[in-house]
Amino acid sequence: SPLPAGPVYSSGWGQLAYLVLGGAAVAAAALHVAGAAPGWLVAALLGLRGALVPLGCFFAPAGVFGKVLLRGAPTRPLVALTFDDGPDPVATPRVLAALARHGATATFFVIGDRAARHPEVLAQIHAAGHQIENHSLRHAWGTAFAPPARLAAELRQASALLAAVTGQAPRWLRAPIGVLSPRVFAAARQAGLGLCGWSGKARDGWRSTSVEDATRRLLRALRPGAILLLHDAPELLSASPPSDPRAGPAARRQEPVAADVLDRLLPVLAERGLRPVRLDELLQAAAPDSQAAGRP
């Protein structure tokens, strides 16, 4: 089959099925009250719709709750490196140094609270020519269940913190822990942000992931248009960064491995003729009419 000309987003079939099943369940319930439909039909429709919820929360390609960017156009030899959970005053500079060694640019999805604590690190990311986007204000487990108005206000607050350093408002949101929900989509729309996913991830936010494991996962996902996910800070939702003196022993045990992964991964990209770029450059490489859909 021909390669898509533009960026690839999550399927619209998941969202269509979610909406159709919801409407069908309401109609069947009304008919049941009128005595024209059996109760088991209502239960079956609600059960099928309910089965789509975990799929929509944890599997972005299904697109159950809305459109998510998954990868760029595969027609040019470009790959977007993205980093979550920073900035961190120890780990992020190591990642920046590794990127500089290999002449690579990347996109950093940063947490607003951490950016407020370490504005000097955020400024280093920007000064090095990397793209900075929104990864929520607090990176909490409950983000997907927060009231949309409150979450939208937090997203706008995080965007304002980032724009104060970069001079440009973020355009993309990556949901904390990658968990999606109708509330996340509603809040993102209110805050003027599109949802960005990934096509390959290192799982380097887990303490059990070695440099070798993370590199192997990314190499399996390596192809033109890929959006690769790494972490430039510990993926700990309730603890301070390991460099923070307030951090407890659990936080200090996790050492981000992304810088070491880059030293193994980026030479392979060069060997395969793939160029690591910012997310905006990956999307600009597409035809103008094809990249318009889904852009915030």
Side-chain angles (χ1 to χ4, degrees), residues 128-201:
H130 304 296
Q131 184 176 349
I132 295 175
E133 298 293 343
N134 197 321
H135 195 39
S136 82
L137 181 65
R138 309 184 196 284
H139 200 263
W141 279 105
T143 297
F145 311 102
R150 190 188 78 193
L151 179 54
E154 291 186 352
L155 293 177
R156 286 192 289 265
Q157 183 180 347
S159 289
L161 285 167
L162 307 184
V165 172
T166 66
Q168 183 176 2
R171 296 175 53 229
W172 296 98
L173 167 69
R174 179 167 284 157
I177 329 156
V179 179
L180 302 169
S181 72
R183 296 184 173 198
V184 169
F185 279 93
R189 283 194 298 270
Q190 293 177 37
L193 298 166
L195 270 294
C196 180
W198 57 84
S199 59
K201 61 180 180 179

